[in-house]
Amino acid sequence: MDNLADPYDKIAFVLLTETGARKSEVLRARWKDFNLDEGVWRMPKTKSGPPQSIPIANSTVAALQNLEKLGEFVVAGKDLTEPRKDLRVAWETLKTEAKLVEVTVHDLRRTFGYRVAKRFGIHITSRLLRHSNIGITERVYAPLGLDDLRPAMEGQDAEIIELRRDKKEA
């Protein structure tokens, strides 16, 4: 992202990668939707309907604080009174530099979901992605395979061995 000249392109991709937000949510984000002191992004309109809030990381807060506010929209475009329509040029630049083929902007959301699911579980992932149905999160964003599940079993095995050892010693 460092090679993007436009700081508003950069912040769009920071929000996409660090929050798992949808492209439309990022493009419609207004400064008034962010409470940078508390590290919260309140989305007044979401795909599932009602307003929702998500925490944002300190690195995201810092990136937002370092960005000049040109209008009401965070991702400023040519017309400061309207949300930007797309990120096509910036996305193509990033894809070319990273030598990515057949990758979409929405794949950033999927990657975020998978990464969070592996580390914090499906319930937290579903909440952060603001899904109304956890099944969508599991099926589309965090399809964990056997290799993802194995560490949980190995961890259980280690606990069982420890419990058996404690029982024998008692």
Side-chain angles (χ1 to χ4, degrees):
M1 283 189 281
D2 291 334
N3 294 332
L4 292 176
D6 184 339
Y8 302 96
D9 286 341
K10 286 182 187 178
I11 199 65
F13 286 99
V14 165
L15 291 171
L16 288 164
T17 58
E18 293 186 10
T19 69
R22 295 173 179 91
K23 180 176 68 171
S24 61
E25 294 166 337
V26 168
L27 293 176
R28 287 192 318 251
R30 298 171 193 260
W31 285 108
K32 69 179 183 178
D33 300 333
F34 289 87
N35 182 329
L36 299 180
D37 292 331
E38 293 182 14
V40 175
W41 179 6
R42 183 180 182 279
M43 298 174 188
K45 183 179 178 187
T46 62
K47 185 176 178 181
S48 61
Q52 296 178 18
S53 297
I54 59 168
I56 54 175
N58 290 334
S59 59
T60 308
V61 169
L64 288 164
Q65 287 172 330
N66 290 326
L67 189 68
E68 183 181 359
K69 295 178 184 178
L70 295 181
E72 69 177 297
F73 294 97
V74 175
V75 182
K78 290 178 183 158
D79 181 350
L80 298 179
T81 64
E82 295 287 325
R84 191 179 299 186
K85 303 294 184 243
D86 65 59
L87 297 166
R88 266 193 316 268
V89 173
W91 179 238
E92 289 304 319
T93 300
L94 289 175
K95 280 179 32 179
T96 300
E97 289 172 3
K99 298 179 180 149
L100 298 174
V101 181
E102 296 185 29
V103 178
T104 67
V105 170
H106 195 75
D107 289 330
L108 299 175
R109 182 170 164 84
R110 287 187 190 96
T111 301
F112 173 88
Y114 183 72
R115 198 174 64 237
V116 172
K118 284 188 73 165
R119 184 147 184 228
F120 297 103
I122 197 74
H123 293 284
I124 288 175
T125 305
S126 189
R127 291 285 305 271
L128 288 174
L129 293 174
R130 296 160 326 282
H131 286 150
S132 59
N133 180 337
I134 199 167
I136 294 168
T137 310
E138 183 177 24
R139 189 172 55 258
V140 178
Y141 295 87
L144 302 178
L146 289 176
D147 289 340
D148 298 312
L149 302 175
R150 187 165 310 285
M153 295 307 288
E154 296 300 334
Q156 290 295 320
D157 189 40
E159 284 186 30
I160 290 169
I161 290 169
E162 188 64 35
L163 285 172
R164 286 182 187 157
R165 184 178 307 134
D166 290 346
K167 212 173 198 181
K168 285 181 182 177
E169 292 174 1

